[in-house]
Amino acid sequence: MIRDMASEEAAFLQEMLYAALAWRPDVELPPKEWVLEHPQVVVFHKNWGRDGDTALVAEESGRLIGAVWYRHFTESEHGEGYVDDETPELAIAVVEGSRARGVGGSLMQQMHERARREGVARISLSVDAENPAKRLYARLGYVEYELGDGLGRMILDLA
Ligand SMILES: CC(C)(COP(=O)(O)OP(=O)(O)OC[C@H]1O[C@@H](n2cnc3c(N)ncnc32)[C@H](O)[C@@H]1OP(=O)(O)O)[C@@H](O)C(=O)NCCC(=O)NCCS
């Protein structure tokens, strides 16, 4: 089941943000608490619930198994996927053990529908060149944005 994330589930969003950053199985990240406070990371979850913040979760047998979320940023405060103030930046993760079963694809498709309904024209994200998630994004219509700048940005045109 895919549904809106409840405000009291923000800790799950933080857990999934850490999972999204820890995508490389052979690289161990510093502890979650440290990573989540890093200036380049904290912008993705701090004060969750501000205008435009949107998060969906996937739930199976009463357990949360994945989340997708996006947030609008500004020139003065943004993540690597920033394109402009009108284009929210998306992030996603599915818990280990539940991956490659279509959960991530469903979460993203529902997020795209939600964004369209809310008048969002484009969505951006940032992904490492070696992350297999790139294939999923490309399949869903994301295209590389200003390739070669090292930011790994991809963008989806919702029009
Ligand atoms: C990326 C991710 C959210 C996709 O969710 P999912 O439920 O596994 O995806 P689906 O089953 O709908 O789609 C499968 C696609 O996801 C990607 N994928 C599958 N396993 C993956 C994994 N372990 N890590 C990253 N991407 C994976 C591939 O593109 C795959 O497509 P393919 O079958 O053509 O190889 C999930 O795999 C994940 O959480 N990975 C680790 C965190 C991460 O990389 N987040 C994105 C950071 S930009």
Side-chain angles (χ1 to χ4, degrees):
M1 179 179 75
I2 292 178
R3 59 166 173 81
D4 281 29
M5 188 185 81
S7 51
E8 63 272 18
E9 290 169 331
F12 183 67
L13 185 146
Q14 294 182 6
E15 198 184 308
M16 291 296 94
L17 175 56
Y18 185 67
L21 296 166
W23 65 271
R24 207 188 277 268
D26 54 336
V27 176
E28 197 180 333
L29 289 191
K32 187 172 80 178
E33 292 66 30
W34 188 90
V35 170
L36 289 173
E37 288 309 311
H38 190 283
Q40 285 174 345
V41 176
V42 77
V43 294
F44 288 103
H45 67 87
K46 182 180 65 177
N47 301 328
W48 187 261
R50 68 187 196 205
D51 265 7
D53 284 352
T54 305
L56 301 178
V57 290
E59 189 179 333
E60 184 177 66
S61 309
R63 189 171 82 98
L64 297 180
I65 58 165
V68 62
W69 63 98
Y70 65 55
R71 166 170 259 192
H72 290 264
F73 291 102
T74 61
E75 192 68 54
S76 59
E77 188 188 64
H78 60 80
E80 289 213 321
Y82 176 77
V83 173
D84 58 39
D85 292 13
E86 286 69 47
T87 306
E89 178 173 352
L90 176 144
I92 181 166
V94 169
V95 298
E96 276 185 81
S98 296
R99 294 177 187 164
R101 289 204 282 122
V103 176
S106 302
L107 276 167
M108 290 195 71
Q109 276 167 337
Q110 293 217 17
M111 194 57 143
H112 299 158
E113 283 166 28
R114 166 68 66 87
R116 270 194 200 95
R117 282 202 303 276
E118 300 201 341
V120 171
R122 305 191 299 171
I123 294 178
S124 71
L125 56 79
S126 168
V127 60
D128 191 284
E130 290 165 23
N131 190 332
K134 263 193 99 164
R135 285 197 299 272
L136 173 64
Y137 302 150
R139 208 158 51 230
L140 292 171
Y142 286 77
V143 294
E144 313 225 52
Y145 183 83
E146 298 190 358
L147 191 62
D149 61 10
L151 296 172
R153 287 179 292 180
M154 295 184 86
I155 196 155
L156 176 71
D157 192 338
L158 290 163

